[in-house]
Amino acid sequence: MSALRSAIQRRFEAWLDKRNPRRNAWVLSQNKIFIFPSSAGLGFLLMLSGLLLLAINYQNNLIFALAFLLFSLFLVVILHTYTNLSGLQIRAGACEPVFAGDTAHFHVHINSQQRPRFQLQVGFPQQRKQVSELAKGEGVEIRVPCPAPRRGRLYPGRIQVRSDYPLGVIRCWAMPALDWHCLVYPRPRALRPLISSARGDGHGEVFDMRSDSDEFSGFERYQPGESPRRIFWKAYAKGQGLFSKRYEESRADDLSLDWESLPELAVEDRLSTLCAWALECDRRELPFSLHLPTADISAGQGPAHLAAVLRELAIYPAEAGR
């Protein structure tokens, strides 16, 4: 049974891919919207069938009138449920990079266009939906969560926009394929201490990033706002004025995050360790370089440099460097 269900699901997804290919923005129209009675709607139709049989059996005009009135209401609800989604504009937004094991949040921009929208349910299939209501011409940005279990580029698949408005007896939905992805960095785990060395000399020195590497470098005039712990109180007590102590952070000659320095680790463990090293170097404002079999990034520091390093670690092919 499960195999049959999987086969049907694959055929349906292939049909959807052909009918509604991936793009950056969608306007929901007739050929992109599906509509079907909900479980409550099927129960409602079953009740109508029972009323109709009862009316036929007893030739009761009042029951006939009630059955036809309720069926007319059902037909009107179909129109209102469809209209609640028709013409809705959906556009893919940004997605901030995350680390493996965290939850990515994809931004979806929805615009109501020419009519108000009620009880819109937005989310990925098989996940909890977020409910929104929009006035005429109003737009909203919704952050849709998606698990990110592995590093690399995360393509979340189709998003589902659904409405059961107004009575819940009809379910109307669309599954547009938005052209977006999220960059998933390796989970940072420092399985080895960082080796600081000039590339190519064959010698290295363990750089303990947990130690305090600040070194005293002299005195200078105190500037308002500096920490009181840095004030040279002995000079102040002697009436020589306010001076503050200056410290410089001792730096290794070359902080090289090198793939070849971790030969005993598996691919994912190497990437996790390099990721942890990069984050720690950035936290301590230490310039560092990255050397992978597929890419080399020269020494630098700052948010842009860190983002470039983490990107190379994220997109590193799983089969390379084994």
Side-chain angles (χ1 to χ4, degrees), residues 116-134:
R117 313 288 176 165
F118 306 95
Q119 300 176 18
L120 295 177
Q121 303 176 47
V122 183
F124 294 112
Q126 312 304 324
Q127 294 185 18
R128 185 177 180 180
K129 307 295 188 294
Q130 300 185 47
V131 180
S132 295
E133 295 195 356
L134 303 174

mmCIF file with all atom_site columns, all heavy atoms in Angstrom, residues 116-134:
data_model
loop_
_atom_site.group_PDB
_atom_site.id
_atom_site.type_symbol
_atom_site.label_atom_id
_atom_site.label_alt_id
_atom_site.label_comp_id
_atom_site.label_asym_id
_atom_site.label_entity_id
_atom_site.label_seq_id
_atom_site.pdbx_PDB_ins_code
_atom_site.Cartn_x
_atom_site.Cartn_y
_atom_site.Cartn_z
_atom_site.occupancy
_atom_site.B_iso_or_equiv
_atom_site.pdbx_formal_charge
_atom_site.auth_seq_id
_atom_site.auth_comp_id
_atom_site.auth_asym_id
_atom_site.auth_atom_id
_atom_site.pdbx_PDB_model_num
ATOM 1   N N   . PRO A 1 116 ? -9.999  41.511 -0.594 1.00 0.00 ? 116 PRO A N   1
ATOM 2   C CA  . PRO A 1 116 ? -9.508  41.029 0.708  1.00 0.00 ? 116 PRO A CA  1
ATOM 3   C C   . PRO A 1 116 ? -9.435  39.510 0.738  1.00 0.00 ? 116 PRO A C   1
ATOM 4   O O   . PRO A 1 116 ? -10.156 38.816 0.006  1.00 0.00 ? 116 PRO A O   1
ATOM 5   C CB  . PRO A 1 116 ? -10.543 41.567 1.702  1.00 0.00 ? 116 PRO A CB  1
ATOM 6   C CG  . PRO A 1 116 ? -11.780 41.774 0.890  1.00 0.00 ? 116 PRO A CG  1
ATOM 7   C CD  . PRO A 1 116 ? -11.323 42.140 -0.485 1.00 0.00 ? 116 PRO A CD  1
ATOM 8   N N   . ARG A 1 117 ? -8.559  39.003 1.601  1.00 0.00 ? 117 ARG A N   1
ATOM 9   C CA  . ARG A 1 117 ? -8.378  37.551 1.734  1.00 0.00 ? 117 ARG A CA  1
ATOM 10  C C   . ARG A 1 117 ? -8.572  37.156 3.196  1.00 0.00 ? 117 ARG A C   1
ATOM 11  O O   . ARG A 1 117 ? -8.149  37.869 4.102  1.00 0.00 ? 117 ARG A O   1
ATOM 12  C CB  . ARG A 1 117 ? -6.973  37.150 1.278  1.00 0.00 ? 117 ARG A CB  1
ATOM 13  C CG  . ARG A 1 117 ? -6.548  37.758 -0.053 1.00 0.00 ? 117 ARG A CG  1
ATOM 14  C CD  . ARG A 1 117 ? -7.270  37.159 -1.231 1.00 0.00 ? 117 ARG A CD  1
ATOM 15  N NE  . ARG A 1 117 ? -6.902  37.827 -2.477 1.00 0.00 ? 117 ARG A NE  1
ATOM 16  C CZ  . ARG A 1 117 ? -7.139  37.346 -3.692 1.00 0.00 ? 117 ARG A CZ  1
ATOM 17  N NH1 . ARG A 1 117 ? -7.753  36.190 -3.829 1.00 0.00 ? 117 ARG A NH1 1
ATOM 18  N NH2 . ARG A 1 117 ? -6.773  38.022 -4.766 1.00 0.00 ? 117 ARG A NH2 1
ATOM 19  N N   . PHE A 1 118 ? -9.184  35.992 3.379  1.00 0.00 ? 118 PHE A N   1
ATOM 20  C CA  . PHE A 1 118 ? -9.527  35.553 4.722  1.00 0.00 ? 118 PHE A CA  1
ATOM 21  C C   . PHE A 1 118 ? -8.968  34.157 4.989  1.00 0.00 ? 118 PHE A C   1
ATOM 22  O O   . PHE A 1 118 ? -9.039  33.277 4.132  1.00 0.00 ? 118 PHE A O   1
ATOM 23  C CB  . PHE A 1 118 ? -11.039 35.544 4.924  1.00 0.00 ? 118 PHE A CB  1
ATOM 24  C CG  . PHE A 1 118 ? -11.711 36.859 4.611  1.00 0.00 ? 118 PHE A CG  1
ATOM 25  C CD1 . PHE A 1 118 ? -12.275 37.090 3.365  1.00 0.00 ? 118 PHE A CD1 1
ATOM 26  C CD2 . PHE A 1 118 ? -11.744 37.872 5.556  1.00 0.00 ? 118 PHE A CD2 1
ATOM 27  C CE1 . PHE A 1 118 ? -12.883 38.301 3.072  1.00 0.00 ? 118 PHE A CE1 1
ATOM 28  C CE2 . PHE A 1 118 ? -12.347 39.087 5.276  1.00 0.00 ? 118 PHE A CE2 1
ATOM 29  C CZ  . PHE A 1 118 ? -12.921 39.306 4.027  1.00 0.00 ? 118 PHE A CZ  1
ATOM 30  N N   . GLN A 1 119 ? -8.422  33.989 6.176  1.00 0.00 ? 119 GLN A N   1
ATOM 31  C CA  . GLN A 1 119 ? -7.996  32.682 6.684  1.00 0.00 ? 119 GLN A CA  1
ATOM 32  C C   . GLN A 1 119 ? -7.095  31.938 5.688  1.00 0.00 ? 119 GLN A C   1
ATOM 33  O O   . GLN A 1 119 ? -7.297  30.772 5.380  1.00 0.00 ? 119 GLN A O   1
ATOM 34  C CB  . GLN A 1 119 ? -9.209  31.824 7.028  1.00 0.00 ? 119 GLN A CB  1
ATOM 35  C CG  . GLN A 1 119 ? -10.092 32.439 8.096  1.00 0.00 ? 119 GLN A CG  1
ATOM 36  C CD  . GLN A 1 119 ? -11.344 31.632 8.365  1.00 0.00 ? 119 GLN A CD  1
ATOM 37  O OE1 . GLN A 1 119 ? -11.421 30.459 8.017  1.00 0.00 ? 119 GLN A OE1 1
ATOM 38  N NE2 . GLN A 1 119 ? -12.327 32.256 9.005  1.00 0.00 ? 119 GLN A NE2 1
ATOM 39  N N   . LEU A 1 120 ? -6.075  32.633 5.198  1.00 0.00 ? 120 LEU A N   1
ATOM 40  C CA  . LEU A 1 120 ? -5.089  31.994 4.329  1.00 0.00 ? 120 LEU A CA  1
ATOM 41  C C   . LEU A 1 120 ? -4.132  31.174 5.182  1.00 0.00 ? 120 LEU A C   1
ATOM 42  O O   . LEU A 1 120 ? -3.580  31.665 6.163  1.00 0.00 ? 120 LEU A O   1
ATOM 43  C CB  . LEU A 1 120 ? -4.307  33.048 3.544  1.00 0.00 ? 120 LEU A CB  1
ATOM 44  C CG  . LEU A 1 120 ? -5.083  33.895 2.535  1.00 0.00 ? 120 LEU A CG  1
ATOM 45  C CD1 . LEU A 1 120 ? -4.162  34.923 1.901  1.00 0.00 ? 120 LEU A CD1 1
ATOM 46  C CD2 . LEU A 1 120 ? -5.732  33.025 1.470  1.00 0.00 ? 120 LEU A CD2 1
ATOM 47  N N   . GLN A 1 121 ? -3.920  29.934 4.812  1.00 0.00 ? 121 GLN A N   1
ATOM 48  C CA  . GLN A 1 121 ? -3.003  29.053 5.528  1.00 0.00 ? 121 GLN A CA  1
ATOM 49  C C   . GLN A 1 121 ? -1.787  28.795 4.637  1.00 0.00 ? 121 GLN A C   1
ATOM 50  O O   . GLN A 1 121 ? -1.927  28.266 3.532  1.00 0.00 ? 121 GLN A O   1
ATOM 51  C CB  . GLN A 1 121 ? -3.700  27.737 5.871  1.00 0.00 ? 121 GLN A CB  1
ATOM 52  C CG  . GLN A 1 121 ? -4.968  27.930 6.687  1.00 0.00 ? 121 GLN A CG  1
ATOM 53  C CD  . GLN A 1 121 ? -5.696  26.631 6.922  1.00 0.00 ? 121 GLN A CD  1
ATOM 54  O OE1 . GLN A 1 121 ? -5.101  25.619 7.299  1.00 0.00 ? 121 GLN A OE1 1
ATOM 55  N NE2 . GLN A 1 121 ? -7.006  26.638 6.684  1.00 0.00 ? 121 GLN A NE2 1
ATOM 56  N N   . VAL A 1 122 ? -0.612  29.203 5.111  1.00 0.00 ? 122 VAL A N   1
ATOM 57  C CA  . VAL A 1 122 ? 0.616   29.154 4.318  1.00 0.00 ? 122 VAL A CA  1
ATOM 58  C C   . VAL A 1 122 ? 1.654   28.310 5.045  1.00 0.00 ? 122 VAL A C   1
ATOM 59  O O   . VAL A 1 122 ? 1.885   28.488 6.246  1.00 0.00 ? 122 VAL A O   1
ATOM 60  C CB  . VAL A 1 122 ? 1.167   30.574 4.074  1.00 0.00 ? 122 VAL A CB  1
ATOM 61  C CG1 . VAL A 1 122 ? 2.411   30.522 3.191  1.00 0.00 ? 122 VAL A CG1 1
ATOM 62  C CG2 . VAL A 1 122 ? 0.099   31.467 3.455  1.00 0.00 ? 122 VAL A CG2 1
ATOM 63  N N   . GLY A 1 123 ? 2.287   27.395 4.325  1.00 0.00 ? 123 GLY A N   1
ATOM 64  C CA  . GLY A 1 123 ? 3.337   26.566 4.915  1.00 0.00 ? 123 GLY A CA  1
ATOM 65  C C   . GLY A 1 123 ? 3.726   25.459 3.959  1.00 0.00 ? 123 GLY A C   1
ATOM 66  O O   . GLY A 1 123 ? 3.146   25.302 2.882  1.00 0.00 ? 123 GLY A O   1
ATOM 67  N N   . PHE A 1 124 ? 4.730   24.694 4.358  1.00 0.00 ? 124 PHE A N   1
ATOM 68  C CA  . PHE A 1 124 ? 5.139   23.545 3.565  1.00 0.00 ? 124 PHE A CA  1
ATOM 69  C C   . PHE A 1 124 ? 4.230   22.357 3.869  1.00 0.00 ? 124 PHE A C   1
ATOM 70  O O   . PHE A 1 124 ? 3.690   22.247 4.979  1.00 0.00 ? 124 PHE A O   1
ATOM 71  C CB  . PHE A 1 124 ? 6.599   23.189 3.849  1.00 0.00 ? 124 PHE A CB  1
ATOM 72  C CG  . PHE A 1 124 ? 7.567   24.244 3.395  1.00 0.00 ? 124 PHE A CG  1
ATOM 73  C CD1 . PHE A 1 124 ? 8.299   24.981 4.314  1.00 0.00 ? 124 PHE A CD1 1
ATOM 74  C CD2 . PHE A 1 124 ? 7.740   24.501 2.048  1.00 0.00 ? 124 PHE A CD2 1
ATOM 75  C CE1 . PHE A 1 124 ? 9.179   25.963 3.896  1.00 0.00 ? 124 PHE A CE1 1
ATOM 76  C CE2 . PHE A 1 124 ? 8.617   25.487 1.622  1.00 0.00 ? 124 PHE A CE2 1
ATOM 77  C CZ  . PHE A 1 124 ? 9.335   26.213 2.543  1.00 0.00 ? 124 PHE A CZ  1
ATOM 78  N N   . PRO A 1 125 ? 4.032   21.464 2.898  1.00 0.00 ? 125 PRO A N   1
ATOM 79  C CA  . PRO A 1 125 ? 3.177   20.299 3.149  1.00 0.00 ? 125 PRO A CA  1
ATOM 80  C C   . PRO A 1 125 ? 3.664   19.487 4.346  1.00 0.00 ? 125 PRO A C   1
ATOM 81  O O   . PRO A 1 125 ? 4.853   19.424 4.622  1.00 0.00 ? 125 PRO A O   1
ATOM 82  C CB  . PRO A 1 125 ? 3.288   19.496 1.836  1.00 0.00 ? 125 PRO A CB  1
ATOM 83  C CG  . PRO A 1 125 ? 3.660   20.503 0.805  1.00 0.00 ? 125 PRO A CG  1
ATOM 84  C CD  . PRO A 1 125 ? 4.523   21.509 1.512  1.00 0.00 ? 125 PRO A CD  1
ATOM 85  N N   . GLN A 1 126 ? 2.726   18.884 5.037  1.00 0.00 ? 126 GLN A N   1
ATOM 86  C CA  . GLN A 1 126 ? 2.999   18.048 6.216  1.00 0.00 ? 126 GLN A CA  1
ATOM 87  C C   . GLN A 1 126 ? 3.575   18.843 7.379  1.00 0.00 ? 126 GLN A C   1
ATOM 88  O O   . GLN A 1 126 ? 4.140   18.262 8.307  1.00 0.00 ? 126 GLN A O   1
ATOM 89  C CB  . GLN A 1 126 ? 3.958   16.897 5.861  1.00 0.00 ? 126 GLN A CB  1
ATOM 90  C CG  . GLN A 1 126 ? 3.591   16.116 4.612  1.00 0.00 ? 126 GLN A CG  1
ATOM 91  C CD  . GLN A 1 126 ? 2.185   15.554 4.673  1.00 0.00 ? 126 GLN A CD  1
ATOM 92  O OE1 . GLN A 1 126 ? 1.728   15.154 5.721  1.00 0.00 ? 126 GLN A OE1 1
ATOM 93  N NE2 . GLN A 1 126 ? 1.521   15.538 3.528  1.00 0.00 ? 126 GLN A NE2 1
ATOM 94  N N   . GLN A 1 127 ? 3.464   20.176 7.328  1.00 0.00 ? 127 GLN A N   1
ATOM 95  C CA  . GLN A 1 127 ? 3.916   21.010 8.441  1.00 0.00 ? 127 GLN A CA  1
ATOM 96  C C   . GLN A 1 127 ? 2.801   21.951 8.861  1.00 0.00 ? 127 GLN A C   1
ATOM 97  O O   . GLN A 1 127 ? 1.851   22.193 8.117  1.00 0.00 ? 127 GLN A O   1
ATOM 98  C CB  . GLN A 1 127 ? 5.167   21.810 8.046  1.00 0.00 ? 127 GLN A CB  1
ATOM 99  C CG  . GLN A 1 127 ? 6.386   20.952 7.785  1.00 0.00 ? 127 GLN A CG  1
ATOM 100 C CD  . GLN A 1 127 ? 7.617   21.801 7.531  1.00 0.00 ? 127 GLN A CD  1
ATOM 101 O OE1 . GLN A 1 127 ? 7.655   22.976 7.847  1.00 0.00 ? 127 GLN A OE1 1
ATOM 102 N NE2 . GLN A 1 127 ? 8.635   21.199 6.956  1.00 0.00 ? 127 GLN A NE2 1
ATOM 103 N N   . ARG A 1 128 ? 2.955   22.490 10.063 1.00 0.00 ? 128 ARG A N   1
ATOM 104 C CA  . ARG A 1 128 ? 1.942   23.400 10.585 1.00 0.00 ? 128 ARG A CA  1
ATOM 105 C C   . ARG A 1 128 ? 1.889   24.669 9.745  1.00 0.00 ? 128 ARG A C   1
ATOM 106 O O   . ARG A 1 128 ? 2.925   25.258 9.419  1.00 0.00 ? 128 ARG A O   1
ATOM 107 C CB  . ARG A 1 128 ? 2.267   23.739 12.043 1.00 0.00 ? 128 ARG A CB  1
ATOM 108 C CG  . ARG A 1 128 ? 1.205   24.581 12.723 1.00 0.00 ? 128 ARG A CG  1
ATOM 109 C CD  . ARG A 1 128 ? 1.563   24.800 14.180 1.00 0.00 ? 128 ARG A CD  1
ATOM 110 N NE  . ARG A 1 128 ? 0.557   25.608 14.854 1.00 0.00 ? 128 ARG A NE  1
ATOM 111 C CZ  . ARG A 1 128 ? 0.621   25.947 16.129 1.00 0.00 ? 128 ARG A CZ  1
ATOM 112 N NH1 . ARG A 1 128 ? 1.664   25.548 16.863 1.00 0.00 ? 128 ARG A NH1 1
ATOM 113 N NH2 . ARG A 1 128 ? -0.327  26.678 16.681 1.00 0.00 ? 128 ARG A NH2 1
ATOM 114 N N   . LYS A 1 129 ? 0.673   25.115 9.413  1.00 0.00 ? 129 LYS A N   1
ATOM 115 C CA  . LYS A 1 129 ? 0.489   26.278 8.560  1.00 0.00 ? 129 LYS A CA  1
ATOM 116 C C   . LYS A 1 129 ? 0.305   27.544 9.405  1.00 0.00 ? 129 LYS A C   1
ATOM 117 O O   . LYS A 1 129 ? -0.177  27.492 10.537 1.00 0.00 ? 129 LYS A O   1
ATOM 118 C CB  . LYS A 1 129 ? -0.736  26.097 7.654  1.00 0.00 ? 129 LYS A CB  1
ATOM 119 C CG  . LYS A 1 129 ? -0.750  24.810 6.839  1.00 0.00 ? 129 LYS A CG  1
ATOM 120 C CD  . LYS A 1 129 ? 0.379   24.765 5.842  1.00 0.00 ? 129 LYS A CD  1
ATOM 121 C CE  . LYS A 1 129 ? 0.259   23.569 4.905  1.00 0.00 ? 129 LYS A CE  1
ATOM 122 N NZ  . LYS A 1 129 ? 0.423   22.284 5.603  1.00 0.00 ? 129 LYS A NZ  1
ATOM 123 N N   . GLN A 1 130 ? 0.708   28.682 8.817  1.00 0.00 ? 130 GLN A N   1
ATOM 124 C CA  . GLN A 1 130 ? 0.500   29.982 9.448  1.00 0.00 ? 130 GLN A CA  1
ATOM 125 C C   . GLN A 1 130 ? -0.709  30.643 8.799  1.00 0.00 ? 130 GLN A C   1
ATOM 126 O O   . GLN A 1 130 ? -0.854  30.631 7.573  1.00 0.00 ? 130 GLN A O   1
ATOM 127 C CB  . GLN A 1 130 ? 1.736   30.863 9.282  1.00 0.00 ? 130 GLN A CB  1
ATOM 128 C CG  . GLN A 1 130 ? 2.989   30.259 9.907  1.00 0.00 ? 130 GLN A CG  1
ATOM 129 C CD  . GLN A 1 130 ? 4.165   31.209 9.838  1.00 0.00 ? 130 GLN A CD  1
ATOM 130 O OE1 . GLN A 1 130 ? 4.048   32.390 10.158 1.00 0.00 ? 130 GLN A OE1 1
ATOM 131 N NE2 . GLN A 1 130 ? 5.311   30.697 9.435  1.00 0.00 ? 130 GLN A NE2 1
ATOM 132 N N   . VAL A 1 131 ? -1.571  31.228 9.606  1.00 0.00 ? 131 VAL A N   1
ATOM 133 C CA  . VAL A 1 131 ? -2.828  31.799 9.133  1.00 0.00 ? 131 VAL A CA  1
ATOM 134 C C   . VAL A 1 131 ? -2.685  33.316 9.022  1.00 0.00 ? 131 VAL A C   1
ATOM 135 O O   . VAL A 1 131 ? -2.194  33.972 9.951  1.00 0.00 ? 131 VAL A O   1
ATOM 136 C CB  . VAL A 1 131 ? -3.985  31.432 10.077 1.00 0.00 ? 131 VAL A CB  1
ATOM 137 C CG1 . VAL A 1 131 ? -5.299  32.025 9.564  1.00 0.00 ? 131 VAL A CG1 1
ATOM 138 C CG2 . VAL A 1 131 ? -4.107  29.912 10.209 1.00 0.00 ? 131 VAL A CG2 1
ATOM 139 N N   . SER A 1 132 ? -3.116  33.859 7.882  1.00 0.00 ? 132 SER A N   1
ATOM 140 C CA  . SER A 1 132 ? -3.053  35.306 7.658  1.00 0.00 ? 132 SER A CA  1
ATOM 141 C C   . SER A 1 132 ? -4.349  35.778 7.021  1.00 0.00 ? 132 SER A C   1
ATOM 142 O O   . SER A 1 132 ? -5.011  35.025 6.301  1.00 0.00 ? 132 SER A O   1
ATOM 143 C CB  . SER A 1 132 ? -1.880  35.679 6.744  1.00 0.00 ? 132 SER A CB  1
ATOM 144 O OG  . SER A 1 132 ? -0.649  35.375 7.351  1.00 0.00 ? 132 SER A OG  1
ATOM 145 N N   . GLU A 1 133 ? -4.666  37.038 7.279  1.00 0.00 ? 133 GLU A N   1
ATOM 146 C CA  . GLU A 1 133 ? -5.798  37.692 6.632  1.00 0.00 ? 133 GLU A CA  1
ATOM 147 C C   . GLU A 1 133 ? -5.321  39.041 6.104  1.00 0.00 ? 133 GLU A C   1
ATOM 148 O O   . GLU A 1 133 ? -4.573  39.756 6.785  1.00 0.00 ? 133 GLU A O   1
ATOM 149 C CB  . GLU A 1 133 ? -6.965  37.866 7.601  1.00 0.00 ? 133 GLU A CB  1
ATOM 150 C CG  . GLU A 1 133 ? -7.557  36.537 8.070  1.00 0.00 ? 133 GLU A CG  1
ATOM 151 C CD  . GLU A 1 133 ? -8.916  36.712 8.726  1.00 0.00 ? 133 GLU A CD  1
ATOM 152 O OE1 . GLU A 1 133 ? -9.355  37.872 8.883  1.00 0.00 ? 133 GLU A OE1 1
ATOM 153 O OE2 . GLU A 1 133 ? -9.535  35.677 9.070  1.00 0.00 ? 133 GLU A OE2 1
ATOM 154 N N   . LEU A 1 134 ? -5.746  39.384 4.885  1.00 0.00 ? 134 LEU A N   1
ATOM 155 C CA  . LEU A 1 134 ? -5.259  40.586 4.220  1.00 0.00 ? 134 LEU A CA  1
ATOM 156 C C   . LEU A 1 134 ? -6.426  41.444 3.755  1.00 0.00 ? 134 LEU A C   1
ATOM 157 O O   . LEU A 1 134 ? -7.425  40.925 3.241  1.00 0.00 ? 134 LEU A O   1
ATOM 158 C CB  . LEU A 1 134 ? -4.395  40.217 3.001  1.00 0.00 ? 134 LEU A CB  1
ATOM 159 C CG  . LEU A 1 134 ? -3.179  39.311 3.248  1.00 0.00 ? 134 LEU A CG  1
ATOM 160 C CD1 . LEU A 1 134 ? -2.534  38.943 1.930  1.00 0.00 ? 134 LEU A CD1 1
ATOM 161 C CD2 . LEU A 1 134 ? -2.194  40.007 4.150  1.00 0.00 ? 134 LEU A CD2 1
#
